[in-house]
Amino acid sequence: MTAATIAYALLFCGASLVFAGGLAYRIYDYARTPAPLKIPTTPAPTTRRGVALRLAREVVLFESLFRSSLWTWVFGWLFHAGLALVLIRHLRYFTEPVWGWVAFAQPFGIYAAFAMAAGLAGLWVRRFAVARVRYISTPSDHLMLALLLAIAASGLAMKYAAHTDVVAVKAFFLGLMVADWQPLPADGVLYVHLALVALLMLIFPFSKLLHAPGLFFSPTRNQADNPRERRHLAAWAAKLEHRK
Ligand code: HEM
């Protein structure tokens, strides 16, 4: 077992723990944050089913972004849709036998990688080209885009230029999940790709990328417009009422 294999095995065990534990804690934190006011962005649905539909449209189509900024929507949606397909394509490294729908998605995943990179490039150009966005952009905004773009670029490099032994990569990760250590191919681009992915997993729970689960806890999106039919009372406020 090489030193690199051991280092990457430890790195991914640690990164997975931080990612899963951090994400679970942040979601718990969001869930217990009080929403004292009734503030759905109107026009809003008046039923819970309507709210579920609205959230689904947000998640799949980025509806409110489409209304507010067309170009940001184009690049943002391109990136996220590409990312979703790329991640589905990657499931083949972690499942044996590979699920039918994952096998079906493989060819589309290739194009998705380019869509993802194009979307990221567009979002990055926006941070320089649009004055009001440039003004509020912090180094972390740029670094997030750089990190994601570097992951996509190193992935594409493996796919088209410096091929790696994907069968061995799969054996390494399947083994890691059952503590059966397998050698990781000694391959520079793969090392870069995986180190960047581990970095992404480590910072995800503490970064702005948390908007993914955060969307579901946003009162402006997850509340029904029914304050006349049902009085809005946050759980902590209800407790105060009983104390009177
Ligand atoms: C532990 C997790 C990961 C492993 C083991 C992994 C491994 C790989 C490998 C071996 C390839 C080359 C595929 C080939 O030659 O056919 C690849 C490609 C790629 N990876 Fe990853 N990767 C991981 C996570 C990620 C993540 C989180 C992203 C995006 C944020 C990503 C984005 C890409 C892209 C865009 C490609 C090129 C297109 C493709 O082949 O799907 N990877 N990855």
Side-chain angles (χ1 to χ4, degrees):
M1 204 66 50
T2 65
T5 295
I6 296 170
Y8 274 88
L10 293 177
L11 179 64
F12 270 92
C13 289
S16 305
L17 282 177
V18 172
F19 180 72
L23 207 56
Y25 177 74
R26 296 305 298 265
I27 290 174
Y28 163 72
D29 208 27
Y30 280 152
R32 69 178 178 159
T33 302
L37 303 175
K38 192 73 167 173
I39 47 168
T41 307
T42 53
T46 52
T47 61
R48 284 172 69 88
R49 243 183 87 175
V51 167
L53 250 170
R54 179 192 213 184
L55 269 175
R57 287 200 308 272
E58 268 312 328
V59 171
V60 180
L61 304 172
F62 299 6
E63 188 180 47
S64 59
L65 182 61
F66 179 78
R67 291 205 188 114
S68 60
S69 166
L70 189 59
W71 279 111
T72 313
W73 178 83
V74 167
F75 292 122
W77 195 83
L78 208 59
F79 158 58
H80 285 87
L83 175 66
L85 266 175
V86 163
L87 292 181
I88 287 172
R89 205 172 116 81
H90 276 65
L91 282 178
R92 73 190 191 280
Y93 297 124
F94 307 95
T95 50
E96 185 56 45
V98 174
W99 304 322
W101 61 276
V102 174
F104 174 78
Q106 293 303 314
F108 310 107
I110 307 274
Y111 303 108
F114 290 104
M116 179 183 158
L120 283 168
L123 290 172
W124 209 357
V125 167
R126 164 179 172 267
R127 292 216 171 259
F128 291 103
V130 182
R132 51 195 285 277
V133 179
R134 185 170 63 230
Y135 184 67
I136 56 161
S137 294
T138 62
S140 97
D141 293 320
H142 289 284
L143 286 172
M144 287 299 173
L145 288 164
L147 176 61
L148 288 164
L149 207 53
I151 292 176
S154 52
L156 280 166
M158 276 189 288
K159 177 83 199 146
Y160 292 106
H163 296 293
T164 193
D165 182 350
V166 289
V167 176
V169 173
K170 176 166 181 163
F172 172 82
F173 278 97
L174 281 180
L176 202 58
M177 292 193 281
V178 290
D180 168 20
W181 315 114
Q182 300 293 324
L184 186 68
D187 176 345
V189 189
L190 177 67
Y191 286 164
V192 171
H193 190 66
L194 294 184
L196 295 175
V197 169
L199 181 63
L200 180 68
M201 290 168 77
L202 286 168
I203 58 179
F204 192 96
F206 316 101
S207 73
K208 67 180 211 172
L209 302 180
L210 261 188
H211 64 266
L215 170 67
F216 297 94
F217 297 96
S218 170
T220 55
R221 295 282 173 274
N222 71 12
Q223 292 184 346
D225 182 11
N226 58 358
R228 292 156 215 86
E229 293 80 7
R230 289 178 64 163
R231 182 173 168 230
H232 180 71
L233 192 59
W236 60 272
K239 271 188 219 149
L240 291 179
E241 282 208 344
H242 291 309
R243 229 185 270 164
K244 266 191 233 158

